[in-house]
Amino acid sequence: MKREKILFSILLTVLVSFNYSCSDFLEEEPGSQTSIDEQLSTKRGIIEALNGTYASIESNVRGERFAVYADTQGGNITFTPSMSGNSQGQITVPINIEKVYDFQDEARTSDFKSFYDESYDIVNQANLILNYVEALKDATTEEKKQMTAEALTMRAYAHYLLNLVYSQNYSFASQANHLGIVYNTSIIKDGITYPSRKTASETYDLIITDLSTALSNFTNSQLQEGPSYSYFNAINAKAILARVYLSKNDWQKAFDTATEVLQTSGVSLSSTSNYISEWEQQEVPISETLLEFSLPTDAEGDTGGSMSAYFGYTSLLDYEKYVASQDLLSLYEANDIRNQLYLKQDLPTLINDDLENLPYYFTKKFQGNAAFVAFRLSELYFIKAEAALQLGQSEVAKDNINIIKARANSTLLTTTENLEEELLLEKRREFAFEGHLIFDLARHQKGIVRTNGCISQNCNLNYPSPKYVLPIPQANINLNSNLQQNESY
């Protein structure tokens, strides 16, 4: 599905996360390009702006850094050998994540600076939309409510992902009074401001407020063409809210919200018989998907990017860098159908100056034209299970874990002993390569253990550690003296 990205260049040369020049916007807006005021004064302009922001979100989460971060850091992912040349058979860490993988990212040259900047660009785009929606003269009240809901969800989602990467888990400090992130709700036209980071508690409250307000505005209508799972809607926004409540340790609200989504989404869990084939199909997501940001396409229908750029296998002369670690593969029982999600290929690998064919396991989840799967129904069972466990409802927790285990044809839990560990292991099996692991480990205050396939000098990380989060890019701090750096950077 084609999404035209609106020309926000007059604004996006500046960065609302306080790495910007206000004069760029003020000087360029009256020029030859369509002004922001003109662009966002009509329903069509707002819809184009929404589509442009969806394209920005898709590009940011599908970007190599975020797409592989949680699984690479947590130990689900390792790397393939070079295909040819003087380095044939050598295994190295991809340059875009090299320092992060070693838990040695630097503020001055952070591997994740582009993710940080793009995330706040998305926030600013959402804020612009929110600033202009109410004044629309050619949109109905229902349409304006829907636009508002989508923009608020965009803002909340971008801030939530930033908070995962740059702020320690909610329980890290008493009453979550440790550093969260800058939560931006203003637009650059309001003037330059230099705010400080909120506390983690305040950050989560703001995310929840935005999502709750969005849910009060969502309508049953869809403004854009294409499948509903490509856009924020009442169902997937509520699913995100359940995840946020879980991250905030608000167990009852996480339980209730997850239960509500499971009961009202109208989406069914993918079946045992179809699970593998659904993941293998190209361009169509697994049927239980609640939110998948569609790939950009040109006028001829060719895609402009794919998750297969990191995980794909075509031939011995055409394969990508990221594969399953033995740490992950060893977690599956022999009869677990999820073993079939890994494509085994022998690749020449340099061992003691000789090339040997060794097995590597490519995920089948993201072959072909594969988009970023942001949320699928299975996660609601884990949210409900974890919340139930914390609420003292161990049997309910066990039953919800067993729903996923049964689908996978793995051995069901028969007791509630070690249930927290069982939940973490089962979620690791189910959501491998989908961007959950390091955030789950941090939330449960677990250490990181990377054994087979780890090529870092720092394979493991004990909890607590300042390295569970990344540095705020130094360039942003240089422009905002109130922007406090994370510990150890």
Side-chain angles (χ1 to χ4, degrees):
M1 175 180 50
K2 182 178 180 180
R3 283 202 177 125
E4 300 272 334
K5 186 170 182 178
I6 184 175
L7 292 177
F8 267 111
S9 59
I10 54 177
L11 179 65
L12 297 186
T13 54
V14 297
L15 178 62
V16 121
S17 60
F18 322 114
N19 181 17
Y20 60 75
S21 164
C22 188
S23 62
D24 287 343
F25 175 79
L26 296 177
E27 289 173 4
E28 291 192 40
E29 190 197 18
S32 59
Q33 296 179 353
T34 302
S35 74
I36 290 291
D37 287 336
E38 182 180 351
Q39 173 68 49
L40 300 182
S41 65
T42 66
K43 178 174 72 173
R44 178 180 177 180
I46 292 288
I47 292 174
E48 288 176 350
L50 286 168
N51 286 342
T53 309
Y54 278 116
S56 296
I57 295 171
E58 187 278 330
S59 176
N60 202 33
V61 296
R62 182 178 47 82
E64 181 177 6
R65 293 160 178 85
F66 186 78
V68 305
Y69 174 66
D71 287 277
T72 304
Q73 298 304 100
N76 281 346
I77 287 177
T78 187
F79 315 105
T80 59
S82 296
M83 285 178 280
S84 60
N86 294 334
S87 61
Q88 183 181 12
Q90 294 182 16
I91 300 175
T92 58
V93 181
I95 191 170
N96 284 338
I97 65 162
E98 188 174 11
K99 292 177 182 177
V100 167
Y101 180 71
D102 288 337
F103 302 112
Q104 295 295 326
D105 198 23
E106 300 175 1
R108 185 177 60 85
T109 57
S110 174
D111 287 345
F112 264 59
K113 178 169 172 40
S114 60
F115 172 78
Y116 187 88
D117 290 353
E118 287 299 318
S119 295
Y120 278 107
D121 281 347
I122 291 162
V123 168
N124 195 57
Q125 293 177 49
N127 286 338
L128 273 170
I129 293 166
L130 290 167
N131 189 65
Y132 282 85
V133 164
E134 193 56 40
L136 289 179
K137 296 180 179 179
D138 62 343
T140 67
T141 299
E142 289 296 294
E143 288 169 336
K144 288 191 284 188
K145 285 170 63 71
Q146 180 69 22
M147 293 169 184
T148 298
E150 291 184 44
L152 283 169
T153 308
M154 290 170 170
R155 186 168 78 184
Y157 185 68
H159 280 121
Y160 176 64
L161 297 186
L162 281 162
N163 197 61
L164 288 177
V165 175
Y166 292 101
S167 176
Q168 295 278 3
N169 74 89
Y170 195 83
S171 298
F172 181 76
S174 175
Q175 298 181 336
N177 62 1
H178 56 286
L179 286 175
I181 58 171
V182 168
Y183 204 97
N184 183 45
T185 59
S186 63
I187 62 172
I188 193 171
K189 293 180 71 175
D190 292 338
I192 296 176
T193 58
Y194 298 98
S196 302
R197 296 168 67 176
K198 302 291 186 182
T199 66
S201 176
E202 291 169 332
T203 300
Y204 273 102
D205 287 344
L206 288 164
I207 293 169
I208 290 167
T209 295
D210 271 352
L211 288 172
S212 299
T213 306
L215 287 168
S216 70
N217 278 279
F218 273 113
T219 68
N220 293 323
S221 61
Q222 182 174 307
L223 301 171
Q224 307 92 340
E225 297 180 356
S228 61
Y229 58 72
S230 291
Y231 306 99
F232 290 118
N233 56 50
I235 294 299
N236 56 43
K238 191 169 293 183
I240 294 169
L241 181 58
R243 183 193 287 179
V244 172
Y245 280 138
L246 190 77
S247 300
K248 187 178 181 287
N249 300 342
D250 194 332
W251 311 120
Q252 190 62 59
K253 288 183 179 178
F255 182 91
D256 293 342
T257 308
T259 301
E260 184 177 354
V261 176
L262 287 168
Q263 292 174 345
T264 64
S265 70
V267 177
S268 300
L269 201 65
S270 297
S271 66
T272 300
S273 59
N274 293 334
Y275 186 71
I276 303 301
S277 61
E278 286 183 2
W279 273 117
E280 291 176 331
Q281 61 194 354
Q282 295 189 19
E283 300 185 7
V284 180
I286 183 170
S287 63
E288 65 177 56
T289 295
L290 298 178
L291 179 62
E292 178 198 83
F293 301 109
S294 298
L295 295 174
T297 58
D298 60 22
E300 286 71 42
D302 297 326
T303 60
S306 169
M307 294 284 283
S308 63
Y310 322 122
F311 306 124
Y313 177 87
T314 302
S315 70
L316 288 174
L317 298 177
D318 186 8
Y319 57 82
E320 303 304 335
K321 290 292 293 185
Y322 299 94
V323 288
S325 70
Q326 288 298 323
D327 291 345
L328 169 64
L329 296 170
S330 66
L331 299 179
Y332 296 100
E333 296 174 337
N335 61 337
D336 192 319
I337 65 168
R338 291 170 297 195
N339 285 306
Q340 300 172 43
L341 284 174
Y342 299 97
L343 175 67
K344 176 179 175 292
Q345 294 293 333
D346 290 337
L347 303 177
T349 306
L350 196 63
I351 304 293
N352 297 325
D353 296 326
D354 291 322
L355 289 175
E356 298 182 18
N357 283 328
L358 296 180
Y360 293 84
Y361 296 83
F362 295 83
T363 180
K364 293 182 182 180
K365 286 183 176 179
F366 300 111
Q367 301 294 313
N369 294 329
F372 181 88
V373 178
F375 217 114
R376 56 189 178 93
L377 195 71
S378 291
E379 186 177 343
L380 277 306
Y381 290 99
F382 285 100
I383 292 174
K384 187 174 180 179
E386 185 174 334
L389 182 61
Q390 296 295 333
L391 292 169
Q393 302 176 36
S394 298
E395 287 294 329
V396 175
K398 175 175 68 69
D399 291 345
N400 277 272
I401 298 169
N402 276 341
I403 288 171
I404 304 301
K405 293 178 75 68
R407 193 260 303 277
N409 196 38
S410 64
T411 303
L412 300 183
L413 301 176
T414 57
T415 74
T416 57
E417 295 181 8
N418 301 318
L419 207 52
E420 180 181 2
E421 188 67 23
E422 291 291 345
L423 185 150
L424 277 171
L425 287 172
E426 190 60 30
K427 190 174 181 184
R428 183 174 180 178
R429 298 181 190 106
E430 179 62 28
F431 288 99
F433 289 82
E434 295 182 60
H436 291 259
L437 183 54
I438 193 173
F439 307 127
D440 287 336
L441 292 173
R443 192 175 68 256
H444 287 264
Q445 302 186 345
K446 300 287 187 181
I448 294 170
V449 179
R450 304 183 298 191
T451 306
N452 293 322
C454 180
I455 57 173
S456 172
Q457 294 181 344
N458 302 301
C459 285
N460 303 330
L461 191 65
N462 294 326
Y463 185 91
S465 168
K467 301 303 182 182
Y468 273 80
V469 297
L470 299 184
I472 304 296
Q474 188 62 43
N476 301 76
I477 291 177
N478 291 344
L479 289 166
N480 175 13
S481 59
N482 295 323
L483 192 57
Q484 188 174 341
Q485 182 58 273
N486 282 326
E487 180 187 354
S488 86
Y489 294 110

